[in-house]
Amino acid sequence: MSNNFFNEYQNTNNCSNTESSGGSCSIDPSVYALEELLLNEIKQIAFYIVKLADYNLQNENIMQKAVRALSVILINTSFKLEDYKELLYSLEADKFEVREKYLSVSKEKGIKYELVENAFKLPEKATRTSLLRLGEAIVSQKRKEYEPKKLDLIELIAFFAQTTSINIEKLSHFGYKNSEWNFQILKFLNLTNISSKKTEKLKQNICDFSQISFDIWQKLTETLENVYGKRVETGINFEIKEGKSILVSGSDLDELDKLLEAAEGENINVYTNSSLFSAFCYPHFQKYKNLIGHFGYENAQVDFTNFKGPVFTTQNFLQKIDNLHHGTIFTTKIISPEKMIRIKDYDFEPLIQNALSSAGFGKEDIQNPDKVTLKYDIKNIDNIIKGAGNNDIYVIVGSYKKEDIIKKFENRVRIELDSPVEIQLLIHILKERNCKNIKLVLTHCTPNTVNILMSTLFSNPEEIYFAKCPNTIINPHVINALVEHFGVKIIN
């Protein structure tokens, strides 16, 4: 489990063969329909928010709530219906509020008003079946409305807005608010309400929004360094120690921080999972003696089952766990899977007590494998850029199939960013080089990395290579759009 970590990180997550995986890697039609129903409410809010902006009116509270709701990506079929309904009907109330405001102002000014197309009404007494049927009707209507290639772009816009909203939501955890960015996200999403938009115009809109998403990434990386210290090159420990334990999975460093603080003084070892290995790069987290190391790769089905202790998944945990067999999982997700226990107001006491009462790891489980080094060498990167002259630079992000990929680009100038979810160094490279003669090679596919790819489109890199994506949470329409309309080459 040492030097092959990043290779395994990609390999276990990138299940594109649904036959060999028993179908666990395919998009579930019911999940897709129910997410479309949520998205449809947010799209209607976006429509009226943009209309109100024409009158120089804004509702910052509803914009913020809509963007937060947009950050929700459904994956699992077995989620808590009450969580879903609470969010859905809250959005409907917000939609009626901005709609009535828009209609009222239009009448006052004597201006002809417009109503959003395809405004489906929610049932008064909602059941899973009635909501599912409505979601299916929305999906069916969308497929009738758009020819396939344009539908690909519409799906890409929605997914790009969703994943960018995740970064806005992460920034809000640190008290950062930006109403203009909230508005720009909703304005971008509103493009999916306008069926008459030409394909070329949509492509330009996507490239324009790419700059905004890039700026949001940059603000997020700056915020993390301001809070947790300047990133440093570090070793990731895969040691397993005897004792009580908690596994933290997801991508929200602030929630890991809160848990570690709450568990200080307790005889509990805390391990990271998924992309939270990045915590080890920040000096702030080195103060926690109970942060032992990293456990597993990126396959929650395997990692959670093998872990001996409770699991905590952060708000932006995005993995499929329908087939999971594990005792106790806690979460802060807005819509939580049925098998998870909600943590409210960051009260971690139930999680801590569960860990103390669990068996934990025994002497037979102790492992002392080698560390994996997470590199962060800006000086070396700058030297490569300066020495490249007018030659192309291939920036390889991640280490999946690294040896095979390097063979494809041997005798070329390369910058290798070993982390599969690296963005900070990529931002530095693009700013230094301004994308001239830059060719991007992203070897890992998650919602984050798809967003990273799309966030570079504004600078028009010469070539982009991308990993083959699983269908679990990446809609194939999104990948089709990147290949067909933006020339992205898929790595096989």
Side-chain angles (χ1 to χ4, degrees), residues 44-58 98-99 101-103 105-106 109 112-116 183 187 190 194:
Q44 292 178 67
I45 291 172
F47 178 86
Y48 294 115
I49 287 290
V50 171
K51 289 296 181 184
L52 284 172
D54 291 339
Y55 298 143
N56 294 318
L57 295 173
Q58 281 189 338
V98 290
R99 179 180 182 271
K101 181 65 175 177
Y102 164 65
L103 295 179
V105 175
S106 296
K109 294 180 177 293
K112 185 178 179 180
Y113 61 81
E114 297 179 68
L115 298 178
V116 69
F183 174 74
K187 182 180 178 182
N190 186 51
I194 309 171

Side-chain angles (χ1 to χ4, degrees), residues 18 107 135 144 174 202 224 290 331 346 370 373 460:
T18 56
K107 290 174 183 177
K144 290 177 183 176
F174 297 98
L202 288 175
L224 291 174
N290 54 346
T331 191
Y346 295 116
D370 296 334
T373 299
N460 195 28

Side-chain angles (χ1 to χ4, degrees), residues 34-35 38 68-69 72-76 78-88 91 128 313-315 317 331-338 340 342:
L34 290 171
E35 183 167 286
L38 270 179
R68 183 171 193 255
V72 173
I73 295 178
L74 295 180
I75 298 170
N76 299 280
S78 57
F79 58 84
K80 292 180 180 176
L81 184 61
E82 290 308 310
D83 287 355
Y84 177 88
K85 287 165 59 177
E86 181 180 352
L87 179 58
L88 182 66
L91 289 170
R128 187 180 291 263
T313 66
T314 67
Q315 180 178 327
F317 168 82
T331 191
T332 50
K333 287 182 68 64
I334 296 172
I335 298 178
S336 60
E338 288 181 347
M340 294 190 183
R342 168 85 64 196

Side-chain angles (χ1 to χ4, degrees), residues 141-179:
Q141 179 64 34
K142 184 166 63 173
R143 287 174 176 167
K144 290 177 183 176
E145 195 169 359
Y146 297 104
E147 56 89 16
K149 289 185 179 180
K150 194 169 181 180
L151 178 60
D152 290 343
L153 283 175
I154 293 299
E155 294 281 14
L156 185 148
I157 289 169
F159 186 79
F160 199 2
Q162 282 181 290
T163 49
T164 302
S165 294
I166 289 174
N167 287 341
I168 286 286
E169 180 64 12
K170 288 181 179 179
L171 279 167
S172 75
H173 290 187
F174 297 98
Y176 182 82
K177 295 181 181 179
N178 188 315
S179 60

Side-chain angles (χ1 to χ4, degrees), residues 30 76 108 114 130 153 224 263 352 394 398 410 429 444 473:
S30 63
N76 299 280
E108 285 176 12
E114 297 179 68
S130 65
L153 283 175
L224 291 174
I352 291 170
Y394 289 79
E410 60 186 350
I429 293 166
H444 185 243
I473 51 178

